[in-house]
């Protein structure tokens, strides 16, 4: 290339995120994109603790109360997507999103950004013929994803109710590899489902 220019390409992080998206699509999930501007009470409605997620980044002049802060979790957006589909008669829903979450910190000018990945599955409606899914289907998808990422010594550890209050007790586990918690898999708590319709 002239002048020592380099051909463009994806960074290793971008390549990893794209591999994750390809794997989830191969598992039958559809990718969705939700708003980064959310309601200030999303975390409270979900029942997810705010600890470790930074302070909420408030919008100075929001267009509505429903879009007054930058999101700190992508789960509420996924739950809204599920509710939107269910209100239109679609009950066999398998979605995932890769998105950026934001958290402010004392003394920092700009918020900290992290890219996260989440998936959501629903049980088919009473009049649907689709195969019902359960915790083990979701666990299998996580195992496929970790295998594609060459993550070894994957473990699932049952979560106590106080460790993940946004999940149904007895139906939740943390995903661990190399002694590090990578995420969780489980059923959203009925109160959180009710809060997001």
């Amino acid at each position: 290339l002239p002048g020592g220019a380099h051909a463009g390409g994806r960074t290793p992080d971008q390549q990893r995120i794209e591999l994750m998206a390809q794997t989830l699509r191969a598992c039958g999930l559809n990718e969705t994109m939700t708003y980064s501007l959310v309601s200030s009470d999303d975390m409270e409605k979900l029942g997810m603790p705010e600890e470790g997620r930074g302070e909420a980044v408030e919008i100075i002049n929001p267009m509505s109360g429903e879009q007054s802060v930058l999101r700190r979790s992508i789960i509420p957006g996924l739950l809204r997507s599920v509710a939107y589909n269910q209100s239109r008669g679609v009950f066999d829903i398998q979605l995932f999103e890769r998105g950026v979450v934001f958290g402010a910190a004392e003394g920092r000018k700009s918020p900290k950004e992290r890219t996260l990945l989440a998936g959501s599955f629903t049980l088919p409606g009473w009049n649907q013929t689709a195969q019902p899914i359960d915790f083990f289907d979701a666990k299998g998808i996580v195992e496929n994803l970790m295998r594609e990422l060459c993550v070894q010594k994957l473990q699932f550890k049952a979560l106590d109710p106080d460790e993940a209050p946004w999940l149904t007790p007895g139906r939740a586990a943390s995903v661990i590899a190399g002694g590090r918690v990578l995420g969780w898999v489980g059923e959203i708590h009925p109160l959180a489902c009710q809060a997001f319709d």
Side-chain angles (χ1 to χ4, degrees), residues 30 81-95 120-133 197:
N30 296 303
S81 292
V82 168
Y84 177 87
N85 280 282
Q86 287 181 337
S87 70
R88 283 149 182 83
V90 180
F91 293 95
D92 184 17
I93 304 164
Q94 299 180 14
L95 300 174
S120 176
F121 313 90
T122 60
L123 294 172
W126 65 270
N127 61 346
Q128 305 293 310
T129 58
Q131 184 71 20
I133 62 163
D197 297 325

Side-chain angles (χ1 to χ4, degrees), residues 66-141:
E66 294 296 311
Q67 297 181 329
S68 60
V69 298
L70 291 173
R71 66 183 174 189
R72 290 185 283 167
S73 171
I74 56 180
I75 302 300
L78 277 175
L79 294 179
R80 282 191 185 92
S81 292
V82 168
Y84 177 87
N85 280 282
Q86 287 181 337
S87 70
R88 283 149 182 83
V90 180
F91 293 95
D92 184 17
I93 304 164
Q94 299 180 14
L95 300 174
F96 79 93
E97 180 174 8
R98 49 182 161 168
V100 177
V101 297
F102 306 85
E106 187 89 25
R108 286 180 55 118
K109 275 188 160 182
S110 58
K112 184 177 180 181
E113 299 179 21
R114 293 185 310 148
T115 301
L116 299 179
L117 179 78
S120 176
F121 313 90
T122 60
L123 294 172
W126 65 270
N127 61 346
Q128 305 293 310
T129 58
Q131 184 71 20
I133 62 163
D134 61 15
F135 172 86
F136 296 102
D137 294 301
K139 179 179 178 270
I141 289 173

Side-chain angles (χ1 to χ4, degrees), residues 43-51 53 159-170 172 184 187-193:
M43 300 298 285
E44 182 182 337
K45 283 171 60 176
L46 182 59
M48 186 177 280
E50 298 182 18
E51 183 182 326
R53 296 182 179 278
L159 284 168
D160 292 328
D162 59 331
E163 290 180 283
W166 65 95
L167 298 174
T168 302
W184 49 265
E187 184 178 313
I188 297 292
H189 197 284
L191 293 176
C193 290

